[in-house]
Amino acid sequence: EAGVAQSPRYKIIEKRQSVAFWCNPISGHATLYWYQQILGQGPKLLIQFQNNGVVDDSQLPKDRFSAERLKGVDSTLKIQPAKLEDSAVYLCASSLGGQGIYGYTFGSGTRLTVV
Amino acid sequence: GNSVTQMEGPVTLSEEAFLTINCTYTATGYPSLFWYVQYPGEGLQLLLKATKADDKGSNKGFEATYRKETTSFHLEKGSVQVSDSAVYFCAAEYGNKLVFGAGTILRVKS
């Protein structure tokens, strides 16, 4: 089974520029997550989708971050404008369902550096 | 809110030493508990999990037992290898989403 695909792998941008990340989850996984992992910290949930609907975006900085999951498959996460503190690894994960039964599969992440 | 707390690192051990990495979680309901490992330059990989009290998860010589009375899920391994050097994350599932600890760096010297 193919894993969770993310691109690009690395991105360097200047502050105030915009950037977009792409995620393709495991086929058939209804739930998709975006996490932000700042260096030296654990991943923090930004947004959770169930099919193409948002379940939880309470920790998404909506003034600059946006995400969508059209057709309930691929997802994009956008930052506009970027700040220095947005430098982090952005992880995408997918799951068949919750309650620990099916588990979560993570992509390799996109490492963003804002200079 | 819900949170997971792990011991700070880095933890530095000699090969074949015994490993314990402590993890505690907030007791909101009975979350499923996980340990993930992140090797240098790689993504998060599930190491083991436990879904109810007294369950023991195990994989690759690592073990962790779900202790409801102490709200803990400590990771242990009897004899570490250099190849175990990585960052270990404890996580709890609340409401169909994972909450992670800050991670513990493990360095094993030969």
Side-chain angles (χ1 to χ4, degrees):
Chain A
E1 155 181 275
V4 175
Q6 289 189 246
S7 67
R9 190 70 194 271
Y10 305 94
K11 191 75 177 179
I12 300 174
I13 62 172
E14 295 182 349
K15 60 184 179 184
R16 291 188 288 275
Q17 285 187 323
S18 63
V19 65
F21 314 126
W22 174 82
C23 172
N24 183 252
I26 291 175
S27 178
H29 279 197
T31 311
L32 184 147
Y33 309 82
W34 282 102
Y35 282 84
Q36 179 193 56
Q37 185 179 11
I38 293 173
L39 186 65
Q41 300 180 19
K44 183 187 80 171
L45 180 69
L46 291 175
I47 189 167
Q48 176 188 0
F49 292 93
Q50 180 75 19
N51 296 310
N52 61 349
V54 175
V55 175
D56 183 355
D57 63 356
S58 58
Q59 298 195 76
L60 188 73
K62 299 180 187 64
D63 57 333
R64 298 183 301 106
F65 286 65
S66 64
E68 60 182 9
R69 191 183 183 197
L70 299 175
K71 302 180 182 178
V73 182
D74 292 9
S75 177
T76 56
L77 176 70
K78 297 179 182 177
I79 308 175
Q80 182 179 14
K83 293 185 175 181
L84 296 177
E85 59 261 36
D86 298 331
S87 294
V89 175
Y90 291 84
L91 296 167
C92 179
S94 69
S95 173
L96 271 173
Q99 304 308 312
I101 297 173
Y102 302 108
Y104 301 78
T105 303
F106 284 82
S108 297
T110 296
R111 182 177 297 276
L112 173 67
T113 302
V114 182
V115 297
Chain B
N2 296 312
S3 65
V4 173
T5 303
Q6 350 182 177
M7 64 186 288
E8 289 189 19
V11 174
T12 303
L13 297 173
S14 297
E15 209 165 20
E16 299 184 5
F18 185 85
L19 168 70
T20 300
I21 301 178
N22 291 339
C23 170
T24 57
Y25 62 93
T26 52
T28 304
Y30 301 99
S32 294
L33 301 173
F34 304 79
W35 277 101
Y36 280 84
V37 59
Q38 191 171 39
Y39 297 103
E42 298 185 17
L44 286 170
Q45 299 175 28
L46 177 64
L47 182 59
L48 53 84
K49 68 179 182 182
T51 57
K52 60 183 187 296
D54 299 325
D55 266 3
K56 177 186 284 188
S58 62
N59 185 26
K60 299 180 182 180
F62 291 89
E63 292 183 340
T65 301
Y66 192 139
R67 300 288 188 198
K68 186 178 68 174
E69 61 276 11
T70 54
T71 63
S72 65
F73 192 55
H74 303 324
L75 182 69
E76 296 181 337
K77 186 175 186 182
S79 176
V80 293
Q81 305 300 312
V82 172
S83 57
D84 294 326
S85 297
V87 184
Y88 292 81
F89 293 93
C90 184
E93 183 183 42
Y94 298 101
N96 197 23
K97 56 184 71 73
L98 292 177
V99 174
F100 285 88
T104 302
I105 297 172
L106 172 64
R107 297 181 180 137
V108 181
K109 303 180 299 182
S110 59

